[in-house]
Amino acid sequence: MLSSEERLQVLGRVPIFAGLSAAQLRALDGRLAARRFARDQVVFEEGQPAQGLYVVARGAVRIYKSSPQGREQVLAIERAGNTVAEIPLFDGGPYPASVSAVEDSDLLFLSRQDFEALCREHPEVPLQVLAAVGRRLRQLVAIIEELSFRTVRHRLAALLVEQASSSGKETGAGVEVTLSLTNQEIASRIGTVRELVSRTLGQFESSGLLERRGRALLIPDLEALKALAGGE
């Protein structure tokens, strides 16, 4: 588990707690319950009563919606220093989406009652929460735009470009990317099914946009992939 000092460092990076003094953060830390989740473990499910919000202290979680047929659409990946489930604390409704751990993660839980007390003591906190909600709304609008106006080819190309930019390694033959996502996880991220991800990756390989090297992909011409991601 995280030490008290590590927890305070995380809380100091959380946008909705910006402006709180060191003493106030220590008081807040006393109200938090530390919880550990293994990779793929569910934190909470859509429709459950909202008991409070979570601060991601270590690791990462994904926010997602599921269809009755079992298809998933990832809405966001939140990493250390971000919060999850702020909205239902304001409207009193249930959790609007499900959350599970992307990797082994440490989360800090703040109950609804303690959150309301925090807002009464520090009126600036609700304004910071509104800013966080606005950021999430922009993410949702971007997802709607992606699903409405761009094909699976474009969305998959954009995800590969993102992976290449964040973790790719330059080689003499191009950019090599080791995918940390399975085809099912990719499908959930871009709003499609696993079979179509596999088929589209095969099409990219046939057209020379990438080469498969086990779990790694070699992208010979990153600019060509960026052009496809941009809809050209």
Side-chain angles (χ1 to χ4, degrees), residues 20-207:
L20 297 185
S21 68
Q24 290 166 339
L25 288 176
R26 287 192 184 90
L28 171 63
D29 183 52
R31 295 173 170 174
L32 298 171
R35 299 181 180 178
R36 174 162 288 179
F37 294 87
R39 175 186 171 94
D40 295 329
Q41 185 177 353
V42 173
V43 179
F44 57 78
E45 292 183 328
E46 176 183 354
Q48 289 180 338
Q51 303 295 329
L53 67 80
Y54 289 85
V55 177
V56 183
R58 178 184 291 164
V61 300
R62 64 190 183 110
I63 306 171
Y64 63 96
K65 298 279 285 186
S66 299
S67 73
Q69 294 74 34
R71 282 185 57 182
E72 293 181 356
Q73 172 63 56
V74 174
L75 304 179
I77 302 290
E78 298 293 357
R79 301 188 179 278
N82 287 322
T83 52
V84 175
E86 314 90 349
I87 296 175
L89 296 189
F90 281 101
D91 66 13
Y95 289 122
S98 301
V99 169
S100 66
V102 174
E103 56 195 66
D104 293 349
S105 302
D106 290 317
L107 275 59
L108 304 175
F109 176 74
L110 181 66
S111 71
R112 178 192 293 275
Q113 293 76 16
D114 283 333
F115 175 76
E116 291 173 350
L118 179 69
C119 290
R120 287 194 296 270
E121 295 167 10
H122 305 286
E124 68 273 22
V125 170
L127 294 177
Q128 300 290 356
V129 173
L130 286 176
V133 171
R135 174 179 64 86
R136 203 176 305 285
L137 179 59
R138 290 181 182 275
Q139 290 176 330
L140 296 178
V141 170
I143 289 172
I144 292 171
E145 182 180 12
E146 285 278 320
L147 296 177
S148 301
F149 303 121
R150 307 184 73 193
T151 68
V152 170
R153 282 174 58 84
H154 295 149
R155 301 200 299 270
L156 180 55
L159 185 142
L160 293 177
V161 168
E162 174 191 318
Q163 295 278 307
S165 300
S166 63
S167 60
K169 181 176 68 175
E170 291 282 352
T171 72
V175 179
E176 187 174 270
V177 181
T178 300
L179 286 178
S180 59
L181 303 172
T182 65
N183 284 4
Q184 182 58 59
E185 290 169 333
I186 292 173
S188 296
R189 286 278 295 272
I190 67 175
T192 186
V193 295
R194 179 178 55 80
E195 292 78 11
L196 195 48
V197 168
S198 300
R199 189 184 313 156
T200 306
L201 284 173
Q203 292 171 352
F204 285 179
E205 187 173 19
S206 298
S207 61

Side-chain angles (χ1 to χ4, degrees), residues 3-37:
S3 68
S4 177
E5 190 59 35
E6 288 174 322
R7 286 164 56 133
L8 289 174
Q9 290 176 0
V10 170
L11 293 177
R13 303 202 315 267
V14 176
I16 69 172
F17 301 142
L20 297 185
S21 68
Q24 290 166 339
L25 288 176
R26 287 192 184 90
L28 171 63
D29 183 52
R31 295 173 170 174
L32 298 171
R35 299 181 180 178
R36 174 162 288 179
F37 294 87

